[in-house]
Amino acid sequence: MNENYYAVLMAGGVGSRFWPVSTVQFPKQFHDMLGTGETLIQKTFSRLSKLIPKENILVLTNDIYNDLVLEQLPDLSPEQMVLEPAMRNTAPCILYATLKIKKLNPNAVMVVAPSDHWIEDEDAFLDNVQKAFDCALKQEVLMTLGIQPTFPNTGYGYIEYNKQDTNLIKKVSQFREKPDYKTAKEFLNSGNFLWNAGIFIWTVESVLNAFVKFQPKMYELFDAGYEHYNNPEEKEFIEENYVKADNISIDYALMENAENVYVLPASFDWNDLGTWGSLHEKLGKDENNNAVVNARVFLENATNNIIRTDSDKTVVIDGLDNYIVVDRDDILLIYPKEKEQEIKKITAIVTKNQ
């Protein structure tokens, strides 16, 4: 394996649309959402470790999940944890992790990837990452992997590139916000739009140059602690200074400003597993399009449902169509699938009243 290859797993999200399974105390990346025997973060770590030395994989998460990560990833050392003492979106934490990597290896090339996404063809994914690494090592670029859209999804941002660009790796024209349905259909019909999956590849040098150019105050804030990184003094410096960073995403901070942004259209199937409905798409289903995780079911006149319980619970359903049925601990959720985006709001209300 190449000792200059590094990865940063983003594992700080809460996944509130997967309530009641995903909670602030135990978010979705630490659950076996697909019923495979591995949690999402375990699958992601395993996938990346086929290309990247395990000791070069850092996990970015909130400090309250430190023990949970180390429990689920026993090959990880405490030194590979990058802990956020406050929520400040993706730009500050990526800068923080990058400076830690620079101090370990200034020649590093790195991939930043969410820890909770579903990727079916892992060989194709690794091939795409390798191609992006090769490109990033040849020239100063900020790379991203774009997903070929399969339907006019309004829940993702989009990446636009020039239609006339016949290169495998394409220069990004612009990033586009989450569209309405009509605009999403236009994107799909255009043929030169990709879903933004939040997977980035660059050398340490390239991305730090971009931070210096576009986010100089943030760079100065974190660079001031450079001598402390990977040392015992790091924790005190970060706890004092991290909260001072702007709350801004890496897309807004760098990608939408830089001229040297390129995209590789992915050759693997992908799903961000953002909702129960997206999970339903990827699970095996019976002849009536019902997906079941863990439960033992008896179904009559039941179609298009997703049913998830703790292990081996018996569930009997008659006359239910297109519902989410989730039983966990002391909470039972029975909710229309077409209203799944409202689960986040329901979660807040229920949590407040408990």
Side-chain angles (χ1 to χ4, degrees):
M1 285 192 177
N2 192 320
E3 63 181 15
N4 292 334
Y5 288 2
Y6 283 75
V8 175
L9 295 194
M10 309 289 284
V14 176
S16 54
R17 290 183 179 86
F18 274 109
W19 183 84
V21 170
S22 183
T23 63
V24 171
Q25 294 75 26
F26 207 103
K28 70 169 181 175
Q29 59 268 29
F30 303 114
H31 289 277
D32 177 10
M33 299 300 298
L34 294 157
T36 63
E38 284 187 297
T39 66
L40 294 176
I41 194 172
Q42 287 172 333
K43 287 184 73 68
T44 305
F45 184 85
S46 174
R47 182 189 311 128
L48 284 167
S49 65
K50 295 175 183 176
L51 178 65
I52 295 160
K54 289 181 179 179
E55 62 271 19
N56 289 359
I57 300 176
L58 278 62
V59 175
L60 246 172
T61 191
N62 191 284
D63 54 10
I64 64 173
Y65 304 133
N66 181 59
D67 293 346
L68 199 49
V69 173
L70 292 173
E71 178 186 327
Q72 293 205 358
L73 301 177
D75 289 330
L76 215 63
S77 71
E79 290 72 34
Q80 290 168 260
M81 299 295 297
V82 184
L83 302 175
E84 304 170 87
M87 301 290 273
R88 281 295 180 273
N89 218 312
T90 52
C93 60
I94 288 174
L95 174 57
Y96 173 29
T98 304
L99 286 167
K100 283 174 64 67
I101 292 172
K102 178 189 176 183
K103 195 166 184 187
L104 294 168
N105 183 348
N107 299 314
V109 58
M110 54 191 281
V111 55
V112 179
S115 63
D116 54 359
H117 289 182
W118 176 93
I119 291 171
E120 184 167 339
D121 189 341
E122 296 197 345
D123 290 338
F125 168 78
L126 295 173
D127 177 71
N128 285 180
V129 173
Q130 183 65 67
K131 283 184 170 68
F133 274 176
D134 293 342
C135 180
L137 287 166
K138 287 176 185 172
Q139 52 189 316
E140 186 168 328
V141 294
L142 306 178
M143 288 281 304
T144 184
L145 301 184
I147 308 301
Q148 301 282 1
T150 53
F151 66 100
N153 195 312
T154 59
Y156 301 148
Y158 284 71
I159 301 167
E160 181 183 358
Y161 61 87
N162 191 318
K163 272 187 181 180
Q164 277 68 52
D165 192 341
T166 57
N167 295 309
L168 177 65
I169 294 173
K170 305 174 189 300
K171 193 173 191 304
V172 172
S173 299
Q174 60 180 321
F175 288 82
R176 304 290 286 266
E177 296 292 329
K178 295 174 183 178
D180 58 26
Y181 185 73
K182 179 176 178 290
T183 306
K185 284 180 70 175
E186 292 171 359
F187 288 173
L188 200 65
N189 293 333
S190 295
N192 60 320
F193 285 81
L194 304 165
W195 288 335
N196 184 357
I199 302 171
F200 307 104
I201 298 98
W202 41 54
T203 63
V204 162
E205 183 181 12
S206 294
V207 73
L208 290 181
N209 286 343
F211 270 108
V212 168
K213 184 174 182 179
F214 298 111
Q215 299 294 327
K217 288 184 179 178
M218 188 183 296
Y219 180 82
E220 289 170 10
L221 175 67
F222 283 92
D223 189 56
Y226 188 73
E227 63 181 299
H228 304 308
Y229 293 151
N230 309 325
N231 290 320
E233 307 85 43
E234 176 183 335
K235 181 177 173 62
E236 182 180 349
F237 173 82
I238 288 298
E239 286 183 347
E240 181 181 340
N241 290 281
Y242 197 90
V243 71
K244 301 174 186 176
D246 287 343
N247 189 338
I248 186 172
S249 72
I250 195 72
D251 295 75
Y252 281 122
L254 301 187
M255 305 301 281
E256 296 186 11
N257 297 304
E259 292 291 322
N260 58 335
V261 180
Y262 287 79
V263 62
L264 172 62
S267 58
F268 52 88
D269 287 336
W270 168 93
N271 191 302
D272 75 337
L273 295 183
T275 64
W276 286 110
S278 64
L279 181 61
H280 179 267
E281 289 175 26
K282 294 306 172 189
L283 291 169
K285 290 171 271 290
D286 67 14
E287 65 275 11
N288 293 311
N289 205 37
N290 296 299
V292 179
V293 180
N294 296 336
R296 291 184 289 119
V297 296
F298 296 90
L299 306 176
E300 290 285 342
N301 304 313
T303 53
N304 307 310
N305 302 299
I306 178 167
I307 302 151
R308 190 190 195 280
T309 70
D310 294 331
S311 293
D312 291 332
K313 176 160 283 192
T314 300
V315 178
V316 182
I317 293 175
D318 190 347
L320 211 57
D321 175 61
N322 208 37
Y323 267 74
I324 300 161
V325 180
V326 182
D327 181 75
R328 178 166 175 79
D329 298 333
D330 60 345
I331 297 172
L332 172 63
L333 174 74
I334 305 173
Y335 212 75
K337 193 130 55 76
E338 68 263 21
K339 294 174 68 177
E340 65 180 1
Q341 294 294 339
E342 297 180 23
I343 290 177
K344 187 174 184 178
K345 182 172 64 178
I346 297 297
T347 305
I349 294 170
V350 174
T351 304
K352 184 180 178 180
N353 292 329
Q354 281 183 331

